């Protein structure tokens, strides 16, 4: 949809990021394809739907789109159970539709990043079907982790390892060949759902096949890859298997049985060689849940993937001291690895940050699970505070050096849909925990585009039901409306591109001050009041320099309101 620029918004500049470093300070918008836009009105978002909204994304001011999996899948884990790594799910389109989308994105000056899921395939993948049809010890089974069970008849799993989604990480198969056909046989490893058997990355065939997959998509114009569960590919499967490794990585020396092992970087060194075959080299970012800085930076080495997510701000409370410490640590980490830092508040796996910030301070992960189970009613949220804090935090983040990763719908100020009907839930966590943890469906509800249209303009009847309150957050209700969250994001991303500077900052506020104030090398300044009460503006914060505020500010301002961020141009 076309609209006039805000009088205070800088005009778009010509595309200048056609170089190898385009990703270092990019604003990347994550698209969960099934929930973005539905072009054929079957209730599932699709690739033509993405193409139809490229104009919206260009106007938003992002630099790149990142697509969550769009591959053929039974959707046992929302598309992260991949049947075929080099194709498009027929419900979402075709390879031709993918090519059309990439061409449209590139024409609009947007880069394209796609998800690659190397830790596991689906149980419908050709390789796994071949493994089930083959005998123990066969080359077909060697692509996965098959083991004999414990106990007198092999009736016990090979280890006590838990699945990330609940229940054991092992499933026993029924043998289909040989003298034992029809009998219970070996067990296979799946760190996630049983429909997601883990691949054996010690097998050269697995490594070469993923090199082929990277080239397949890079040849189609993909500019980069987001690597799912990058920290879990290398595993110590030597017998006897060690007992119950923690799914919250505890070992910091590369010797954990399942996570963040040193050998994983040999795998990604091979990937980097493939990515460097292209001009410019294809970018990559690791999803590596590694709590140790000295370990996480290994994924971001130039000889590896080149960049790694840090989720520290996503996990932090709305607190000046926490934010300052995280920023300082992550910038130092980025400098040590030669990468740029990454910043994120929401994605397809977590409760949307306006909802997290709406809950009482100190609400922990267990309380968040309980809040979802209670339909979002207890603890009692404060939506106004949640959105106010989310806008302030996002404006603080968008001023930082490094890459900003945004999740679809956050530019509309969407909250978590915590009261989805139980019979609509699809997340495997809900089923594998015996209906104790609802999982991630609440952040994946299809987007509201037009409040005046059926299904809020998404398309057909959405695969997850949209709540009535989505109408007030629709694009049509915010487009061109001063002060709306959509216009704030558009203004922020336009100014961010204009003001972008070298990858460093200088703190201008004292440690312990609830007002965080930093300056970028070109004189661009960001001030965030994390307190609830107004704070005096620094002397140097002349009113004429204020180009953006996350909330209402008096003109000329004498104070910065609580839970508010200001941007000052040089």
């Amino acid at each position: 949809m076309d609209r006039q620029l805000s009088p205070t918004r800088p005009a778009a500049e010509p595309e200048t990021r056609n170089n190898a470093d385009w990703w270092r300070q990019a604003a990347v918008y994550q698209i969960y394809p099934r929930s973005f836009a539905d072009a054929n009105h079957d209730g599932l978002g699709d690739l033509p739907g993405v193409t139809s909204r490229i104009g919206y994304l260009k106007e938003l001011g992002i630099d790149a789109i990142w697509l969550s999996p769009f591959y053929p899948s039974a959707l046992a884990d929302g598309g992260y159970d991949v049947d075929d790594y080099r194709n498009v799910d027929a419900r979402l389109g075709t390879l031709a539709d993918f090519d059309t989308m990439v061409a449209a994105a590139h024409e609009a000056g947007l880069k394209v990043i796609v998800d690659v899921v190397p830790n596991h395939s689906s149980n419908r993948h050709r390789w796994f079907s071949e493994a089930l049809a083959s005998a123990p010890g066969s080359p077909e089974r060697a692509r996965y982790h098959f083991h004999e069970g414990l106990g007198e008849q092999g009736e016990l799993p090979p280890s006590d390892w838990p699945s990330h989604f609940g229940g054991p990480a092992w499933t026993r198969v029924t043998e289909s060949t040989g003298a034992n056909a029809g009998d219970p046989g070996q067990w296979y490893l799946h760190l996630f759902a049983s429909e997601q058997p883990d691949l054996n990355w010690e097998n050269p065939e697995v490594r070469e096949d993923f090199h082929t997959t990277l080239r397949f998509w890079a040849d189609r114009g993909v500019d980069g890859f987001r690597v799912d569960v990058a920290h879990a590919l290398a595993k110590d499967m030597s017998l006897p298997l060690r007992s119950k490794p923690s799914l919250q990585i505890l070992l910091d020396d590369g010797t954990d049985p399942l996570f963040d092992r040193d050998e994983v970087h040999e795998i990604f060194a091979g990937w980097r060689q493939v990515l460097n075959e292209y001009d410019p080299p294809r970018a990559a970012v690791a999803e590596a849940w590694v709590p140790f800085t000295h370990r996480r930076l290994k994924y971001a080495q130039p000889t590896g993937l080149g960049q790694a997510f840090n989720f520290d701000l996503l996990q932090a409370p709305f607190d000046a001291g926490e934010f300052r410490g995280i920023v300082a640590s992550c910038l130092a980490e980025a400098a040590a690895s030669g990468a740029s830092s990454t910043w994120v508040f929401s994605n397809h796996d977590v409760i949307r940050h306006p909802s997290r910030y709406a809950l009482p301070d100190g609400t922990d992960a267990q309380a968040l699970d309980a809040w979802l189970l209670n339909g979002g009613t207890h603890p009692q949220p404060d939506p106004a505070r949640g959105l106010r804090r989310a806008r302030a935090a996002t404006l603080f983040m968008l001023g930082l050096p490094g890459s900003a990763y945004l999740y679809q719908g956050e530019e509309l100020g969407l909250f978590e849909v915590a009261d989805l009907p139980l019979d609509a839930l699809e997340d495997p966590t809900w089923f594998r925990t015996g209906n104790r943890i609802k999982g991630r469906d609440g952040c994946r509800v299809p987007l509201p585009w037009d409040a005046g249209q059926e299904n809020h303009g998404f398309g057909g009847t959405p695969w997850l039901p949209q709540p009535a309150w989505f109408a007030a957050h629709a694009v049509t209700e915010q487009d061109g409306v001063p002060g709306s969250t959509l216009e704030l994001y558009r203004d922020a991303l336009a100014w961010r591109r204009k003001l972008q500077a070298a990858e460093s900052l200088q703190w201008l506020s004292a440690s312990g001050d609830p007002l965080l104030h930093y300056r970028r090398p070109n004189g661009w300044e960001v001030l965030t009041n994390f307190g609830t009460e107004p704070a005096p503006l620094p002397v140097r914060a002349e009113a004429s320099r204020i180009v953006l505020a996350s909330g209402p500010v008096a003109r000329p301002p004498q104070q910065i309101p609580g839970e508010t961020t200001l941007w000052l141009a040089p």
Side-chain angles (χ1 to χ4, degrees):
M1 56 189 68
D2 295 327
R3 55 179 302 282
Q4 293 184 341
L5 288 175
S6 163
T8 61
R9 184 182 305 155
E13 298 178 353
E15 173 63 34
T16 60
R17 301 196 177 198
N18 291 326
N19 59 59
D21 291 334
W22 66 266
W23 51 272
R24 295 191 67 93
Q25 300 203 71
V28 182
Y29 184 95
Q30 181 190 358
I31 292 174
Y32 190 73
R34 291 195 299 153
S35 299
F36 187 66
D38 171 23
N40 65 1
H41 290 259
D42 66 352
L44 279 179
D46 45 43
L47 296 185
V50 175
T51 303
S52 74
R53 300 295 182 178
I54 290 294
Y56 168 84
L57 296 169
K58 179 180 180 179
E59 185 179 1
L60 184 60
I62 58 168
D63 300 300
I65 57 174
W66 150 33
L67 278 81
S68 289
F70 49 85
Y71 312 111
S73 171
L75 303 177
D77 181 22
Y80 285 86
D81 47 314
V82 178
D83 298 349
D84 182 350
Y85 289 93
R86 300 192 281 273
N87 208 340
V88 174
D89 193 307
R91 292 165 292 185
L92 274 63
T94 64
L95 283 171
D97 291 328
F98 180 86
D99 294 341
T100 298
M101 180 204 68
V102 171
H106 286 169
E107 178 68 22
L110 305 179
K111 305 294 187 183
V112 178
I113 298 169
V114 300
D115 242 310
V116 62
V117 188
N119 179 69
H120 46 263
S121 75
S122 81
N123 63 344
R124 305 196 314 177
H125 191 283
R126 172 179 60 85
W127 277 2
F128 195 70
S129 296
E130 292 173 357
L132 294 182
S134 302
S138 64
E140 290 79 8
R141 290 204 175 180
R143 297 163 176 158
Y144 296 91
H145 295 288
F146 279 86
H147 278 263
E148 301 295 337
L150 303 178
E152 291 184 5
Q153 303 296 324
E155 70 277 9
L156 300 176
S159 74
D160 58 357
W161 298 347
S163 161
H164 185 71
F165 291 149
W170 296 93
T171 291
R172 198 175 192 186
V173 303
T174 299
E175 298 298 350
S176 60
T177 62
N180 295 323
D183 293 339
Q186 289 188 311
W187 299 71
Y188 68 88
L189 176 68
H190 52 87
L191 293 184
F192 294 88
S194 57
E195 296 89 348
Q196 295 169 289
D198 280 34
L199 290 158
N200 176 14
W201 276 87
E202 291 187 3
N203 189 326
E205 186 179 5
V206 172
R207 298 194 184 203
E208 286 303 317
D209 194 71
F210 271 87
H211 290 176
T212 300
T213 293
L214 295 175
R215 292 187 180 101
F216 179 87
W217 294 111
D219 289 344
R220 300 190 93 92
V222 164
D223 302 287
F225 299 88
R226 178 263 189 187
V227 185
D228 186 63
V229 197
H231 58 296
L233 274 58
K235 301 175 176 69
D236 178 8
M237 302 300 293
S238 58
L239 298 176
L241 298 174
R242 285 187 272 173
S243 179
K244 196 176 287 184
S246 172
L247 287 178
Q248 303 298 319
I249 306 167
L250 297 179
L251 300 179
D252 67 350
D253 59 359
T255 64
D256 189 279
L258 299 180
F259 302 107
D260 189 36
R261 294 184 61 80
D262 286 337
E263 299 95 309
V264 77
H265 301 294
E266 300 172 12
I267 296 170
F268 294 135
W271 285 35
R272 175 44 57 192
Q273 291 180 10
V274 173
L275 300 176
N276 285 349
E277 293 172 1
Y278 295 85
D279 183 19
R282 297 318 191 226
V285 58
E287 184 211 26
W289 287 86
V290 182
F292 307 106
T293 295
H294 70 285
R295 300 293 306 175
R296 186 167 59 195
L297 62 82
K298 291 179 178 291
Y299 295 85
Q301 297 174 119
T303 54
L305 294 176
Q307 194 176 51
F309 278 117
N310 75 66
F311 299 108
D312 299 348
L313 285 182
L314 181 153
Q315 297 173 301
F318 187 80
D319 177 84
E322 292 276 354
F323 271 51
R324 179 170 179 151
I326 287 169
V327 170
S329 173
C330 290
L331 290 180
E333 173 185 334
S337 67
S340 61
S341 194
T342 58
W343 313 107
V344 57
F345 285 118
S346 286
N347 62 34
H348 65 294
D349 280 335
V350 299
I351 292 172
R352 289 183 176 274
H353 63 290
S355 290
R356 298 199 308 271
Y357 290 148
L359 294 171
D361 291 339
T363 302
D364 59 15
Q366 187 174 359
L368 282 173
D369 288 338
W371 178 75
L372 281 179
L373 203 57
N374 292 324
T377 59
H378 183 75
Q380 186 66 40
D382 180 346
R385 182 182 71 167
L387 185 56
R388 185 171 60 250
R389 285 183 166 187
R391 287 164 57 108
T394 296
L395 210 55
F396 173 89
M397 178 269 281
L398 287 175
L400 295 171
S403 297
Y405 283 82
L406 311 173
Y407 180 52
Q408 64 177 42
E410 70 170 82
E411 78 278 13
L412 304 178
L414 291 184
F415 292 87
E416 188 82 359
V417 182
D419 58 350
L420 285 168
L422 298 184
D423 61 1
L425 299 180
E426 294 194 6
D427 194 293
T429 303
W430 173 244
F431 304 107
R432 290 183 62 85
T433 62
N435 305 145
R436 291 183 295 105
I437 300 176
K438 285 177 91 171
R440 303 156 295 175
D441 290 318
C443 66
R444 301 177 178 184
V445 176
L447 296 188
W449 293 95
D450 189 331
Q453 291 188 15
E454 189 176 12
N455 304 318
H456 304 310
F458 168 71
T461 302
W463 65 280
L464 284 173
Q466 299 165 310
W469 56 263
F470 258 36
H473 292 261
V475 173
T476 54
E477 301 305 293
Q478 301 192 51
D479 183 45
V481 177
S484 70
T485 302
L486 175 58
E487 292 301 324
L488 175 67
Y489 271 71
R490 286 171 170 168
D491 286 341
L493 290 165
W495 278 109
R496 183 180 190 270
R497 183 183 290 268
K498 181 177 180 62
L499 297 172
Q500 197 58 266
E503 296 174 31
S504 63
L505 61 76
Q506 175 189 5
W507 294 108
L508 300 179
S509 54
S511 181
D513 192 332
L515 179 67
L516 284 192
H517 184 185
Y518 65 82
R519 180 170 59 211
R520 297 291 299 278
N522 64 353
W524 170 20
E525 295 181 28
V526 176
L527 298 86
T528 301
N529 182 2
F530 283 83
T532 57
E533 298 299 321
L537 279 174
V539 174
R540 61 173 290 110
E542 298 91 349
S544 62
R545 297 179 60 215
I546 298 175
V547 296
L548 200 56
S550 66
V553 176
R555 298 286 182 169
Q558 302 298 317
Q559 297 177 311
I560 176 171
E563 301 173 334
T564 300
T565 296
L566 301 180
W567 279 10
L568 282 67

